[in-house]
């Protein structure tokens, strides 16, 4: 089972996304914006999904040799969502609103590519 770290501040969204991912074979660790690069190193997720408030964490993960290989997905409602990967080094971005099934497929593809 692949482990996924989900960082989402909105409780309802976090629970809905986590439920869907768990029902699709992921072990989901739920986090918030206080998660650090060191926390991620100790959690050892196969994929990290972050809401836009976590772009500093994303940049930190991509700057660290231990966490750089871990795929990071950012989901964003920003009109500039397509610029998010360049800003922090994310591997993928999903624009809100999105279909949960699309997020599951993307997370699966990234988790199993390594």
């Amino acid at each position: 089972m692949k482990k996924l770290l989900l960082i989402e501040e909105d409780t309802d969204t976090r629970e809905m996304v986590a439920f869907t991912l768990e029902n699709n074979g992921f072990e989901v660790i739920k986090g918030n914006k206080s998660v650090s690069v060191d926390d991620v190193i100790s959690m050892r997720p196969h994929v990290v999904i972050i809401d836009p408030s976590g772009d500093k964490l994303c940049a930190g993960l991509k700057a660290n040799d231990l966490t750089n290989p871990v795929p990071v997905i950012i989901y964003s409602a920003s009109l500039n969502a397509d610029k998010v990967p360049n800003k922090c080094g994310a591997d993928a971005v999903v624009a809100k609103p999105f279909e949960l099934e699309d997020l599951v497929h993307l997370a699966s593809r990234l988790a199993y590519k390594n």
Side-chain angles (χ1 to χ4, degrees), residues 58-95:
C58 175
L61 293 172
K62 291 306 178 180
N64 185 294
D65 290 339
L66 294 174
T67 55
N68 177 277
V70 177
V72 175
I73 301 169
I74 299 246
Y75 53 46
S76 175
S78 167
L79 295 175
N80 297 320
D82 58 331
K83 294 181 178 144
V84 172
N86 292 334
K87 182 178 176 186
C88 72
D91 297 276
V93 65
V94 175

Side-chain angles (χ1 to χ4, degrees), residues 19-104:
F19 177 80
T20 302
L21 290 163
E22 289 166 346
N23 282 332
N24 281 276
F26 283 97
E27 175 187 344
V28 178
I29 304 165
K30 300 171 198 167
N32 58 38
K33 64 182 173 186
S34 67
V35 171
S36 70
V37 172
D38 289 336
D39 294 331
V40 176
I41 291 169
S42 68
M43 292 175 194
R44 300 176 55 147
H46 296 98
V47 176
V48 177
I49 298 177
I50 305 175
D51 73 3
S53 66
D55 63 345
K56 288 181 183 167
L57 175 61
C58 175
L61 293 172
K62 291 306 178 180
N64 185 294
D65 290 339
L66 294 174
T67 55
N68 177 277
V70 177
V72 175
I73 301 169
I74 299 246
Y75 53 46
S76 175
S78 167
L79 295 175
N80 297 320
D82 58 331
K83 294 181 178 144
V84 172
N86 292 334
K87 182 178 176 186
C88 72
D91 297 276
V93 65
V94 175
K96 290 181 183 177
F98 56 86
E99 295 293 326
L100 285 171
E101 185 176 302
D102 293 340
L103 184 62
V104 169

